[in-house]
Amino acid sequence: MRTILNVIWLVFAGVWLAMGYALAGIICCVLIVTIPFGIASFRIAAYALWPFGRTVERDPDAGVFSLLGNIIWFVVAGIWLAIGHVVTSIPLFVSIIGIPMGIANLKLIPVSLLPLGARIVPADSRVGPGT
């Protein structure tokens, strides 16, 4: 089922989202200071291309620079990306077949808001708290 959803996602939303994140990554890599944002954009692009079966988990060892970078990212790009995900998920929710894709679009919001210090892992390998 994940493969079917990923293929449908790829056709209707994944390619366009991934191209946007890849373009942002290229722009960020032009300046040396913003290379970490570019790497994060490329990571999100890969996630936006094939989101079903993967999830985001926070890295507990992310330091202060990750926090500061996330604050800068949130103000400059994160809030606009999140608004874009909400707006594009609305038409997906209108159609019955698009509901899982709308949920996947909303699932991308946390990593688009705060990309530094986040890891994208297979959903099956995620370890719960206390284990």
Side-chain angles (χ1 to χ4, degrees):
M1 186 56 124
R2 288 180 184 168
T3 304
I4 293 169
L5 287 172
N6 276 321
V7 169
I8 294 170
W9 169 266
L10 185 68
V11 171
F12 289 109
V15 172
W16 308 111
L17 286 171
M19 285 181 5
Y21 280 112
L23 179 64
I26 291 168
I27 292 169
C28 287
C29 284
V30 169
L31 299 172
I32 294 172
V33 176
T34 56
I35 287 176
F37 298 122
I39 293 169
S41 291
F42 291 133
R43 198 174 45 230
I44 298 170
Y47 183 46
L49 207 55
W50 206 258
F52 294 98
R54 297 195 290 175
T55 189
V56 176
E57 68 179 26
R58 290 278 155 207
D59 185 5
D61 297 329
V64 134
F65 291 114
S66 179
L67 174 68
L68 293 174
N70 277 332
I71 291 170
I72 293 168
W73 176 269
F74 182 86
V75 172
V76 173
I79 192 73
W80 303 110
L81 290 169
I83 290 170
H85 282 296
V86 170
V87 168
T88 57
S89 70
I90 292 170
L92 293 171
F93 279 119
V94 170
S95 69
I96 299 299
I97 191 126
I99 291 173
M101 291 181 286
I103 292 169
N105 210 347
L106 295 178
K107 189 173 95 171
L108 284 163
I109 291 175
V111 74
S112 71
L113 281 173
L114 307 169
L116 302 176
R119 289 185 289 206
I120 298 165
V121 297
D124 300 336
S125 70
R126 188 169 184 182
V127 178
T131 57

